Amino acid sequence: MKFTDILFIIVILIVLGLGLAYYFKTQRNKEIEELNDRKNEMMEVPIADHLFTLKNMELSGQTKRKYESFVATWQTITNFQFAEIEAALVGAEQLSESMNLMKAKSILDEARELIQATEEEVSELDQEVEELLGLPEINQSRHEEYMDAYNEARSSITNHSFEYGPAIEMLEKNLQYLELDFTRYNELTSQGDYIEADVMLDKINNDLTTLQEILQKIPAMYETIKNDYEDSLDDLESGHKQMLAYHFNFEDDHVQEDVEKIREQLNEAKNKIKNADLQEAQTLMDKADREISSLYDFMEAEVDAQATVKNQLSRLESNLKIVGDNNRYARIEVDRISQSYILRNNELDRISQLTDQIQKDTERFNEISQQVEDNEVVYTKTANQLKKLEQHLEEIDDEQQELVKQLAQLNQREKEAKSSLDLAELDLRNLKRQIEKQHLPGLSESYYAKFYKVTDQIEYLSQQLNRVQIDMDQIEQLGSDLNDNLDQLEAITEEIVDSAALTEYMIQHSNRFRFDYPEIDQAINEAEFLFYDEYRYTEALNIIEKALRRVDSEGPTQVRRMYHQEKQHRNY
């Protein structure tokens, strides 16, 4: 690289450095100017003028103390914080001129933070000073508003004193207290303590609001006590006396005592209203309302129960006749059925017990009817008694009907048993014919034993069914045992017939192998011995089938298929 090139680069770098320095210096100057403008804006806020105005208002008390606090704060801002900001900005400007840009930036950052904090203080102070300066006018406006409300309340109390009853004395005292508060407000305002005057206006507002609520509620509460609750108590007393005259009776009659207690509660509520304790008065009134409703319910329940009892008596009289008629029919049915069947569910005792229960219910019904006629009942209590009596009659009637239904089933059960016996006899004859058709050489002793057992069961069941008085439970058990043994006999018979026929077919099929296979000849001889001499057809089939399968694996299957096809066609 040539010397001229190096020199050119150095010149370029110097120019760039000077340019950057000029740029940063310009930026610092802009920042200084911006912060200086913000400082001047703060100094132009008219706090000093407002404080001067307040000073000339001859303040006192809490307002004066507040003003002095504002002055002290403003002096601190102007004497110290503004001076500190000014010094920082001058220092930053000097450092910028001397090209100490980094130091200037550091001082400017500190000045910016101080200006930000001071702006917030100045803004807050300015707002508070303006609020204090405007407080007298706001107070005057509120005073006029509250005075109008006070005059309206006084007029209402004066012109409508009769509506407030005993509470008028308490209301007039409240007016006097408000007058004293207005006087105190005027004193504070004339003394220049506008903050305390503002507090007094808050108190006046609260007291006025309370008074207005009282003025609105008291007439309504007195009216409710008189026109609703006290009239209701009079109505309850009158109604109670009238019901007693009409021979109504009450269980634990406490109506008159409760009426007196409620009157005492309402008198206490009036005293609470008189003393402006409206919340407690309302609590007493709500309690009285609930108790009055309870008394109405107590008395109305008797009136409603009277009509209910009359309907129940009429309905029960009809039900007793129906249940009694059903009971007589049930007794006749039990007596009639018992002549033909042995009864095992204590039907006679049950019908006797039901008869006794009906008699007792009838006596109880007559007793209650007489008490009602003699006006000796509490209807609500009697209604419950009659309801239980009605439910008991329904239970008795249901039991009677179920008893008659069970008895009526005995005849049907007998018919079914006879039909089942006829079918069993027919099945036994068919089994006998089926065996005879096979022309078997004989049958085993066990088969004859089973056959004769079924025969004896049929004969015994027939005898039991022909008795004058039969036991259907026993009959059905005998029929069940008979059907079980008959099913077994049918299965044994089918097995004998199938085994005998298959044995003959297997032997016929095996004869072609008899001379070539000695074991086949031996099996045929053994099977024929079991077949013709022992009548053991199933064992004979097993022996010949097993031997045939060893010489012709498909032979037994073909024989069985042919036999079952033939059997199916024959059955069809």
Side-chain angles (χ1 to χ4, degrees), residues 43 64 108 123 130 215 233 252 254 261 350 352 362 448 509 531:
M43 295 178 69
K64 184 177 181 180
L108 283 174
S123 175
E130 286 186 356
L215 292 177
L233 291 176
D252 186 19
H254 48 76
K261 290 179 182 178
R350 287 167 61 192
S352 178
T362 302
Y448 281 119
H509 192 81
F531 188 95

Side-chain angles (χ1 to χ4, degrees), residues 378-396:
V378 177
Y379 286 111
T380 49
K381 185 176 180 181
T382 302
N384 290 328
Q385 294 172 344
L386 292 174
K387 182 178 180 181
K388 291 179 181 178
L389 188 60
E390 191 170 13
Q391 290 174 344
H392 189 233
L393 280 177
E394 290 177 359
E395 293 172 0
I396 291 175

Side-chain angles (χ1 to χ4, degrees), residues 402-551:
E402 180 62 26
L403 181 60
V404 171
K405 180 180 177 182
Q406 291 175 358
L407 293 174
Q409 291 174 350
L410 288 172
N411 183 257
Q412 180 62 30
R413 289 165 63 187
E414 180 186 4
K415 291 180 180 179
E416 292 175 356
K418 287 182 177 180
S419 176
S420 178
L421 177 62
D422 291 340
L423 290 175
E425 291 177 341
L426 179 61
D427 289 343
L428 186 63
R429 287 196 296 270
N430 289 335
L431 289 177
K432 184 178 179 182
R433 284 197 297 269
Q434 185 178 1
I435 287 292
E436 289 173 351
K437 282 182 180 180
Q438 303 304 315
H439 302 292
L440 298 176
L443 294 169
S444 65
E445 290 297 328
S446 61
Y447 182 83
Y448 281 119
K450 177 66 73 173
F451 186 89
Y452 292 136
K453 182 177 182 179
V454 171
T455 302
D456 292 342
Q457 284 182 314
I458 290 174
E459 183 178 351
Y460 183 72
L461 180 55
S462 177
Q463 292 172 358
Q464 294 302 312
L465 283 169
N466 289 323
R467 294 180 61 181
V468 174
Q469 190 181 38
I470 64 176
D471 184 348
M472 279 310 304
D473 289 347
Q474 179 190 27
I475 294 292
E476 289 174 343
Q477 183 60 51
L478 291 173
S480 176
D481 294 342
L482 170 60
N483 289 331
D484 290 342
N485 286 319
L486 186 59
D487 290 340
Q488 295 174 13
L489 183 61
E490 287 178 348
I492 294 172
T493 301
E494 185 172 7
E495 182 181 6
I496 289 174
V497 171
D498 289 344
S499 297
L502 284 170
T503 300
E504 290 178 341
Y505 287 166
M506 294 288 180
I507 290 174
Q508 292 175 8
H509 192 81
S510 300
N511 279 330
R512 69 182 70 178
F513 304 107
R514 189 169 191 174
F515 299 106
D516 296 330
Y517 298 95
E519 61 270 24
I520 293 295
D521 182 63
Q522 182 180 352
I524 291 174
N525 291 332
E526 187 175 352
E528 287 178 343
F529 173 77
L530 292 172
F531 188 95
Y532 293 105
D533 296 330
E534 299 289 336
Y535 317 134
R536 292 155 60 185
Y537 304 109
T538 302
E539 294 178 31
L541 174 61
N542 290 336
I543 288 173
I544 190 60
E545 184 175 15
K546 185 177 180 180
L548 178 60
R549 192 176 301 281
R550 283 198 294 267
V551 299

Side-chain angles (χ1 to χ4, degrees), residues 121-167:
E121 291 183 32
V122 169
S123 175
E124 182 179 354
L125 180 60
D126 181 53
Q127 182 178 352
E128 291 180 350
V129 170
E130 286 186 356
E131 288 177 355
L132 182 57
L133 194 60
L135 190 57
E137 184 178 351
I138 295 174
N139 283 353
Q140 181 60 28
S141 177
R142 292 178 67 193
H143 173 264
E144 293 174 358
E145 177 186 350
Y146 298 159
M147 183 58 72
D148 291 341
Y150 165 79
N151 290 329
E152 183 179 348
R154 171 176 285 280
S155 175
S156 177
I157 293 171
T158 303
N159 298 331
H160 305 281
S161 58
F162 64 92
E163 295 183 5
Y164 303 110

